[in-house]
Amino acid sequence: MDDHSDDIRRPLSPRIEVFAGAGRKRWPDDLKAQIAAESLEPGAVVTDVARRHGCRPQQVHDWRRRARLGQLVLPASAETLSFVPVVSESALPAAAEPTGSPEAAIVTVELQGARVEVRGAPGLAVLSDVFLALRRTRSC
């Protein structure tokens, strides 16, 4: 269709806007966390991750910031190792002195208001499960 107007104020090719969508997309927190975690993997490029999931890089950066502030809980990766500081009491009370028996060992973990005690001689798998459960429930 040709436009034969003599009005110089009118642009030569009219601009056409196409709106495809029903407004703002709502992203569930678990999907935000998954996308943010994917963008934090070694070698990941935020723009590529955003394009793959149909969102904007600015959104991904915002979700990463919220994860750093503890407002968004990232999914725990089986390959990701994280460490917590160990606090040792300098002087144990007389009643709490170790007896030398492995059955009497107690591992106590206090984290963000939660306290977990593991008694006996827990194996590495048991302690890993305890820390993984704490991380999932307390987003540490």
Side-chain angles (χ1 to χ4, degrees), residues 44-102:
V45 177
V46 172
T47 305
D48 295 339
V49 173
R51 186 177 298 126
R52 199 169 29 253
H53 290 282
C55 60
R56 304 190 69 192
Q58 294 87 341
Q59 290 175 301
V60 178
H61 284 292
D62 181 55
W63 299 336
R64 289 167 55 145
R65 181 188 56 80
R66 289 183 54 209
R68 278 193 308 273
L69 295 174
Q71 298 170 348
L72 187 66
V73 180
L74 297 181
S77 172
E79 301 159 0
T80 304
L81 296 177
S82 58
F83 297 95
V84 294
V86 175
V87 179
S88 175
E89 295 179 9
S90 59
L92 293 174
E97 289 183 14
T99 61
S101 161

Side-chain angles (χ1 to χ4, degrees), residues 80-127:
T80 304
L81 296 177
S82 58
F83 297 95
V84 294
V86 175
V87 179
S88 175
E89 295 179 9
S90 59
L92 293 174
E97 289 183 14
T99 61
S101 161
E103 290 78 25
I106 299 174
V107 175
T108 305
V109 178
E110 293 183 24
L111 183 64
Q112 295 181 350
R115 180 182 175 130
V116 177
E117 287 187 3
V118 180
R119 297 176 184 269
L124 182 59
V126 172
L127 290 176

